[in-house]
């Protein structure tokens, strides 16, 4: 489902200035300086409206959370709910996933979240899926050696594709379930 276009994007973004990172490339290799003392740096690719990141930032205030979203109107919606006083460990930026090499240094992230990404259902678009080989290679560069990629989807075809892609690309799958919400992990991490 596409979001409706809104005409008031500029004033909404101006109101969210404290959480918005305009030049993320300038922070490459130094993201932790935004939140001194943070234990881990976690990145959500395709943060959507930001609910998941806000919940994680509240639940784990010792970690830094960076939301990445390609579409400005969606990012504005995420930023509206993320007041820097309530979420001092949360920042948002507009970027395409393919630009992340220019934004994060190799091994800089402790974790990457992919939550309910576009499944790109047509086979000819499979290279666009965020769990295809080229994206997995990117995540591997950005993650610390012990870093984790956390992936959630409600699309069975994307789930099966992703499991196979992870295996083919040499990733170790620590935990996989077909119905996350029916597990204790899913009940704790239902965001």
């Amino acid at each position: 489902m596409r979001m409706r276009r809104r005409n008031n994007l500029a004033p909404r973004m101006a109101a969210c200035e404290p959480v918005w990172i305009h030049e993320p490339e300038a922070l490459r290799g130094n993201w932790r300086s935004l939140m001194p003392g943070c234990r881990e740096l976690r990145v959500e690719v395709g943060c959507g409206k930001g609910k998941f990141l806000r919940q994680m930032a509240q639940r784990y205030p010792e970690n830094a959370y960076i939301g990445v979203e390609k579409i400005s109107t969606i990012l504005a919606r995420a930023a509206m709910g993320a007041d820097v006083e309530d979420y001092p460990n949360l920042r948002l930026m507009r970027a395409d996933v393919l630009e992340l090499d220019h934004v994060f240094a190799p091994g800089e992230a402790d974790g990457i979240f992919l939550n309910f990404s576009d499944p790109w259902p047509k086979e000819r678009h499979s290279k666009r899926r965020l769990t295809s080989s080229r994206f997995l290679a990117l995540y591997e560069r950005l993650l610390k050696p012990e870093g984790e990629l956390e992936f959630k989807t409600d699309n069975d075809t994307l789930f099966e594709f992703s499991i196979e892609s992870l295996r083919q690309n040499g990733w170790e799958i620590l935990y996989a379930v077909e119905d996350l919400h029916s597990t204790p992990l899913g009940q704790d991490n239902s965001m």
Side-chain angles (χ1 to χ4, degrees):
M1 177 170 72
R2 296 192 183 270
M3 286 188 60
R4 233 176 353 137
R5 184 178 180 97
R6 300 196 187 260
N7 295 328
N8 60 350
L9 179 62
R12 289 184 338 175
M13 291 309 297
C16 307
E17 195 68 29
V19 296
W20 180 273
I21 303 296
H22 291 281
E23 296 179 18
E25 298 86 3
L27 290 166
R28 188 174 192 265
N30 202 23
W31 278 92
R32 293 171 193 270
S33 69
L34 284 177
M35 296 159 243
C38 73
R39 200 177 58 132
E40 294 181 354
L41 178 67
R42 303 233 168 222
V43 179
E44 183 179 17
V45 176
C47 67
K49 297 175 188 174
K51 181 181 176 185
F52 172 80
L53 275 185
R54 286 192 304 274
Q55 289 176 338
M56 293 299 286
Q58 278 189 326
R59 186 177 288 176
Y60 303 104
E62 70 278 7
N63 294 338
Y65 293 93
I66 310 297
V68 179
E69 181 57 60
K70 181 179 177 179
I71 302 169
S72 296
T73 53
I74 296 173
L75 190 60
R77 190 127 182 222
M80 287 177 58
D83 184 36
V84 76
E85 292 167 7
D86 294 332
Y87 303 98
N89 58 335
L90 174 62
R91 297 293 181 275
L92 302 167
M93 67 175 182
R94 185 184 172 282
D96 187 280
V97 65
L98 294 173
E99 300 169 358
L100 293 183
D101 261 341
H102 304 290
V103 174
F104 297 100
E108 190 168 16
D110 293 282
I112 296 176
F113 300 108
L114 302 175
N115 293 319
F116 304 99
S117 308
D118 188 336
W120 292 101
K122 294 180 181 175
E123 188 56 38
R124 71 176 186 258
H125 295 145
S126 64
K127 290 183 180 180
R128 296 182 184 184
R129 295 175 189 152
L130 292 181
T131 53
S132 67
S133 294
R134 73 176 174 163
F135 292 113
L136 292 177
L138 171 66
Y139 309 144
E140 190 170 11
R141 288 190 301 273
L142 301 181
L143 285 168
K144 291 182 171 187
E146 67 281 359
E148 293 181 354
L149 176 67
E150 185 176 303
F151 169 74
K152 292 182 210 159
T153 186
D154 53 2
N155 183 289
D156 291 337
T157 305
L158 179 59
F159 178 79
E160 291 166 13
F161 170 89
S162 300
I163 292 294
E164 184 60 28
S165 182
L166 287 162
R167 287 186 176 133
Q168 286 178 354
N169 287 280
W171 286 68
E172 178 184 3
I173 299 173
L174 301 176
Y175 191 76
V177 294
E178 291 186 26
D179 184 3
L180 179 66
H181 296 291
S182 68
T183 68
L185 176 66
Q187 291 164 4
D188 181 50
N189 194 8
S190 61
M191 299 168 261

